Amino acid sequence: MGNIVAIVGRPNVGKSTLFNRLTQSRQAIVNEEAGTTRDRHYGKVDWCGQEFSLIDTGGWVVNSEDVFEEEINKQVQLAIDEADVVLFVVDIINGLTDLDDAVAHILRRSKKPLIVVANKADNYEQHAFGAEFYRLGLGDPICISSINGSYTGDLLDKIVSLFPEKKEEEVEEELPRIAVVGRPNAGKSSLINAFIGEERHIVTDIAGTTRDSIYTKYNKFGLNFYLVDTAGIRKRNKVNEDLEYYSVIRSIRAIENSDVCVLMLDATRGIESQDLNIFSIVQKNRKGLVVCVNKWDLVEDKSQVAIKTYINTIRERFAPFTDFPILFISALTKQRILKVLETSKDVYDNRRKRIPTAKLNEIMQPIIERTPPPAWKGKYIKIKYVTQLPAGSVPSFAFFCNLPQWIRDPYKRFLENKIRDNWDFSGTPINIIIREK
């Protein structure tokens, strides 16, 4: 189960700088695909072999620049509800302010593990001023500098030490875990109710604590699968549900715990930035994807041309990853509901697909010979051999060549497209790895 850490605090204390500092370590290692940095406020951090998700709650708030106490309270409440550990960032140069006190007041009542982070301690002399924050009554402040990174290692050690003990849920590995995600009112609940709207729908119910995602096992239409409970289904009364960013943050845990995500779009509203945010979280986690355009029964023009336009628009907005199934459904009239499950199962199978090495080379070698990688400074790059790596979470292909460092991303994309042209990997990301022969 992934742990979630949230950053809270009043504006201008350096929350985003801290976020960038902590997530940087990972972005440097992982070659981010173009176009996936749409959500600047959700990232992965890897520290001593422990991976967790980091959320900068301030970034999700519509008017985060304005110091509306109410807005900040919402962020803090959100962090308390959804995170495993909360980082309360304060500014050592400005010292304690009324707004800090207001945030501390809410945090004191929560039972969440919490760290007071005194930021902007850019040199050692300033650490002395950190003592002021003991007044908050929230434990020992850790003095750090997001700008130059000093003491962030100690902070990460502390964060990792506060994570709850892992309770692994009993889940049969061989079954697909499907999460239904999307913006509020896109019809997630209606779709799930359509899936399970029969008597004796639940075969087994593996209850996590309410905080964990709950896998519910279904055996429907001859398909066995787990539905990952998105928090959207269990309504929280504390929070105004109209806030869009809540839904994004709620989906994070469901996405991380699933194999295939069914992303619901609202046919009457088109694609909005929130949909792209959720899509990019699915991408960052390298999950399978099925896009469902819901409320199709409300659309007047159902001609082939309209459908084509719709499909092209979706693929354009979600590029460069475009090889995923798009279904037009209506959760209300149960139109093509079964197809959603069947397609999710296909995507799940594609993630586990193995291609024999002989077959791979037989098809890929002639393609590579016809369009070899561009020469680099007069050196010719020769790809000798390709093989699929042992089963991981995503199909990965290793191409062995003499000068791996000169093969650029566009050529990797070319190889990926050729693999997709010849084998069905619809809905799943593919890793292309270039290795030294």
Side-chain angles (χ1 to χ4, degrees):
M1 305 291 271
N3 288 304
I4 295 183
V5 176
I7 302 178
V8 301
R10 61 181 176 78
N12 304 329
V13 289
K15 297 192 291 294
S16 298
T17 320
L18 176 63
F19 174 85
N20 292 342
R21 164 71 60 183
L22 296 184
T23 51
Q24 205 59 47
S25 54
R26 181 177 170 82
Q27 280 155 356
I29 302 165
V30 174
N31 190 347
E32 286 286 309
E33 257 131 80
T36 48
T37 48
R38 295 190 178 102
D39 47 341
R40 296 186 306 283
H41 311 292
Y42 163 80
K44 296 275 199 184
V45 183
D46 199 335
W47 183 250
C48 302
Q50 281 241 50
E51 194 179 63
F52 61 88
S53 301
L54 190 66
I55 306 171
D56 169 14
T57 52
W60 296 95
V61 176
V62 193
N63 36 20
S64 53
E65 286 311 300
D66 310 343
V67 188
F68 283 138
E69 204 163 320
E70 184 192 355
E71 281 295 346
I72 294 174
N73 292 352
K74 281 178 193 164
Q75 296 170 33
V76 175
Q77 201 53 59
L78 169 68
I80 290 172
D81 286 351
E82 295 302 319
D84 298 295
V85 176
V86 178
L87 303 183
F88 175 23
V89 184
V90 288
D91 171 350
I92 212 161
I93 294 172
N94 285 343
L96 265 181
T97 68
D98 299 351
L99 212 47
D100 292 326
D101 276 332
V103 174
H105 183 65
I106 310 174
L107 288 171
R108 263 186 229 111
R109 288 185 306 219
S110 90
K111 299 280 176 279
K112 278 282 152 83
L114 175 130
I115 305 171
V116 177
V117 182
N119 191 19
K120 307 192 186 176
D122 301 340
N123 56 41
Y124 196 68
E125 280 70 68
Q126 286 165 325
H127 282 232
F129 302 120
E132 179 181 8
F133 298 105
Y134 279 104
R135 263 180 39 205
L136 294 169
L138 292 169
D140 300 338
I142 292 187
C143 299
I144 65 153
S145 164
S146 307
I147 291 284
N148 61 33
S150 61
Y151 288 89
T152 43
D154 301 12
L155 174 62
L156 282 161
D157 285 341
K158 177 89 168 139
I159 292 172
V160 172
S161 71
L162 290 176
F163 286 150
E165 285 295 302
K166 282 208 170 102
K167 295 186 295 298
E168 285 303 319
E169 291 190 42
E170 302 291 311
V171 175
E172 292 172 41
E173 269 309 294
E174 272 53 72
L175 295 183
R177 294 176 301 186
I178 300 171
V180 180
V181 294
R183 250 200 352 245
N185 304 335
K188 299 188 291 291
S189 308
S190 319
L191 179 67
I192 289 166
N193 292 340
F195 282 160
I196 61 187
E198 294 165 37
E199 54 282 305
R200 57 177 202 84
H201 54 262
I202 298 181
V203 186
T204 55
D205 197 352
I206 300 164
T209 60
T210 43
R211 191 185 56 73
D212 288 338
S213 102
I214 296 179
Y215 298 113
T216 314
K217 185 174 170 185
Y218 294 100
N219 184 345
K220 297 302 281 290
F221 321 113
L223 289 174
N224 244 331
F225 61 97
Y226 283 104
L227 214 49
V228 182
D229 184 6
T230 18
I233 305 159
R234 298 191 301 270
K235 280 276 191 282
R236 288 266 174 76
N237 49 8
K238 266 192 294 199
V239 171
N240 294 349
E241 280 298 335
D242 59 354
L243 292 168
E244 293 245 311
Y245 55 91
Y246 277 79
S247 62
V248 180
I249 292 181
R250 293 272 159 90
S251 341
I252 289 175
R253 220 181 276 271
I255 291 171
E256 291 182 349
N257 293 326
S258 67
D259 298 311
V260 178
C261 298
V262 175
L263 174 57
M264 306 278 288
L265 301 178
D266 182 336
T268 59
R269 306 219 1 215
I271 302 170
E272 298 177 1
S273 62
Q274 226 41 343
D275 301 316
L276 292 172
N277 274 332
I278 295 175
F279 168 75
S280 67
I281 294 171
V282 173
Q283 274 271 279
K284 268 197 181 136
N285 284 288
R286 312 293 281 157
K287 299 299 185 188
L289 176 71
V290 178
V291 172
C292 289
V293 181
N294 188 26
K295 309 192 186 174
W296 194 236
D297 51 324
L298 303 179
V299 175
E300 316 262 288
D301 180 7
K302 294 188 174 66
S303 64
Q304 283 307 309
V305 178
I307 291 179
K308 244 201 168 75
T309 316
Y310 235 105
I311 289 178
N312 291 340
T313 312
I314 292 173
R315 297 219 192 278
E316 269 165 30
R317 295 294 299 274
F318 287 174
F321 180 50
T322 53
D323 186 13
F324 49 80
I326 298 176
L327 303 174
F328 292 86
I329 67 164
S330 163
L332 233 99
T333 62
K334 297 201 165 63
Q335 182 186 13
R336 286 191 275 284
I337 288 299
L338 173 56
K339 191 90 182 108
V340 177
L341 284 179
E342 286 173 344
T343 310
S344 304
K345 176 77 170 77
D346 293 344
V347 169
Y348 176 75
D349 291 340
N350 288 347
R351 281 172 77 80
R352 304 167 69 91
K353 186 176 288 182
R354 308 277 311 144
I355 297 169
T357 302
K359 194 86 194 124
L360 256 178
N361 284 285
E362 178 191 325
I363 289 183
M364 291 303 289
Q365 284 300 347
I367 293 175
I368 293 168
E369 273 158 33
R370 280 199 302 278
T371 13
W376 183 265
K377 295 184 179 163
K379 291 194 172 74
Y380 287 98
I381 302 168
K382 281 203 160 35
I383 296 179
K384 308 278 193 347
Y385 175 77
V386 52
T387 181
Q388 185 173 358
L389 298 176
S393 58
V394 177
S396 305
F397 297 90
F399 289 80
F400 292 90
C401 75
N402 53 348
L403 300 162
Q405 66 277 30
W406 301 130
I407 290 191
R408 295 288 186 251
D409 282 350
Y411 194 76
K412 285 187 189 170
R413 263 203 290 279
F414 165 77
L415 292 175
E416 176 180 332
N417 291 338
K418 289 303 170 203
I419 289 176
R420 290 185 186 278
D421 290 347
N422 286 285
W423 293 278
D424 180 9
F425 280 106
S426 177
T428 177
I430 293 181
N431 291 335
I432 301 291
I433 297 153
I434 311 285
R435 291 198 171 155
E436 182 106 37
K437 180 84 176 97

